[in-house]
Amino acid sequence: MGVVLRLLKQLVAVVAVAFAGGMVVGAVQGNAPLTLLLGLATAALAVFVYARVVRWSERRPPVEVAAKGAAAATGRGVLIGVGMFAAVIVNIAFLGGYRIEGLGSVWGAVGLFGIMAAAAVTEELLFRGVLFRIVEELTGTWVALTLTGVLFGLVHLSNPNASLWGAICIAISAGGMLAAAYAATRTLWLPIGLHFGWNFAAAGIFGTEVSGNGTPQGLLDGVTSGPALLTGGAFGPEGSLYTVVFGVLLTIAFIWLARRRGNLVPLRRSARAGATATLSQ
């Protein structure tokens, strides 16, 4: 019961900030500088609230969002995220599925920077900081990675132009990869940077759809066409088979690093007993 209450306290606090921030940012979305400012403010407030509620509910310092090393870890994550999306889009373009029709909008990219910062931070605090971390504590790394990855994919089914295939792709690539990134480093800054780098590259740089939310106006006026299996269709490149491949490769790399560092939490006795009981039925 204590764990459930702790989970609820942290979820409610971060969800409240995410919801309020999303409403405010959405209301000023036509104003790029204000969108940037409010998006960054939402991200900062979410980290502050998460840190306070973890300290209050768990009686420990929130080391996973410690300021020391945050900039470097976030920067590494951004580079990985941008590099991963660039690799996906290059492969799609090689088969004629992506082309650049011209330049987009600098101010559009500025606004998207704020939107994606708020989204990356709040989603990582919720899914990796609260859900994955506490479920891992109860069940072990592998069960937590699987459960939160599936949930992360299911949540995206509520997006416009969502598809079951797109949700499956996100569950496998992003859900698993981001949880593994946290397991490898035990800091939320790397997955936050990775999440932001991927989203901003998709929308703010290459001008492609992001999780079925429509085509934003980024730095480039990009157009995708061709088989949805390769391009992701209306869901965007996150629904591409290339994304799954690169996401799985990064997941394997992060899990290897987590194992090497001794960061993997073994399957808990209660979870093992539950699994055995289920199989015997």
Side-chain angles (χ1 to χ4, degrees):
M1 181 61 69
V3 175
V4 174
L5 287 176
R6 177 157 50 99
L7 179 68
L8 289 175
K9 289 174 184 176
Q10 295 175 18
L11 276 178
V12 168
V14 179
V15 166
V17 176
F19 179 78
M23 294 291 288
V24 172
V25 171
V28 300
Q29 203 163 329
N31 186 321
L34 199 52
T35 301
L36 172 64
L37 179 63
L38 291 174
L40 293 176
T42 297
L45 180 61
V47 172
F48 174 78
V49 169
Y50 172 86
R52 290 299 297 269
V53 76
V54 165
R55 188 182 296 274
W56 167 60
S57 62
E58 299 187 12
R59 302 292 191 271
R60 67 172 180 85
V63 294
E64 62 271 24
V65 289
K68 184 178 180 180
T74 304
R76 285 192 294 271
V78 171
L79 289 176
I80 294 171
V82 172
M84 178 182 170
F85 189 85
V88 169
I89 210 70
V90 164
N91 277 278
I92 293 175
F94 181 75
L95 296 178
Y98 174 80
R99 68 182 185 277
I100 298 171
E101 295 199 333
L103 296 178
S105 167
V106 173
W107 283 116
V110 168
L112 285 167
F113 192 100
I115 293 171
M116 296 309 175
V121 170
T122 54
E123 288 183 20
E124 289 312 303
L125 291 175
L126 284 171
F127 284 94
R128 263 57 67 176
V130 179
L131 290 172
F132 174 79
R133 183 175 56 80
I134 294 179
V135 173
E136 182 189 42
E137 177 186 321
L138 294 172
T139 64
T141 300
W142 288 107
V143 174
L145 187 148
T146 302
L147 291 178
T148 58
V150 170
L151 180 60
F152 194 60
L154 289 175
V155 166
H156 286 79
L157 278 174
S158 63
N159 292 359
N161 299 312
S163 66
L164 180 59
W165 169 247
I168 291 172
C169 289
I170 283 186
I172 295 173
S173 56
M177 174 182 63
L178 293 167
Y182 171 74
T185 61
R186 293 300 159 179
T187 173
L188 287 169
W189 297 118
L190 183 71
I192 283 173
L194 207 167
H195 194 150
F196 170 79
W198 169 274
N199 279 359
F200 185 71
I205 299 176
F206 293 99
T208 64
E209 297 85 351
V210 178
S211 305
N213 285 307
T215 305
Q217 192 174 40
L219 292 175
L220 300 174
D221 182 11
V223 177
T224 56
S225 60
L229 188 65
L230 297 180
T231 66
F235 193 73
E238 282 169 309
S240 168
L241 198 58
Y242 289 120
T243 298
V244 175
V245 171
F246 285 112
V248 168
L249 289 176
L250 275 175
T251 301
I252 292 171
F254 284 131
I255 288 294
W256 173 83
L257 186 59
R259 183 183 296 276
R260 184 180 180 184
R261 292 176 172 177
N263 287 348
L264 293 183
V265 178
L267 184 65
R268 299 302 191 187
R269 183 177 300 176
S270 57
R272 188 182 299 117
T276 302
T278 300
L279 289 174
S280 63
Q281 290 178 355

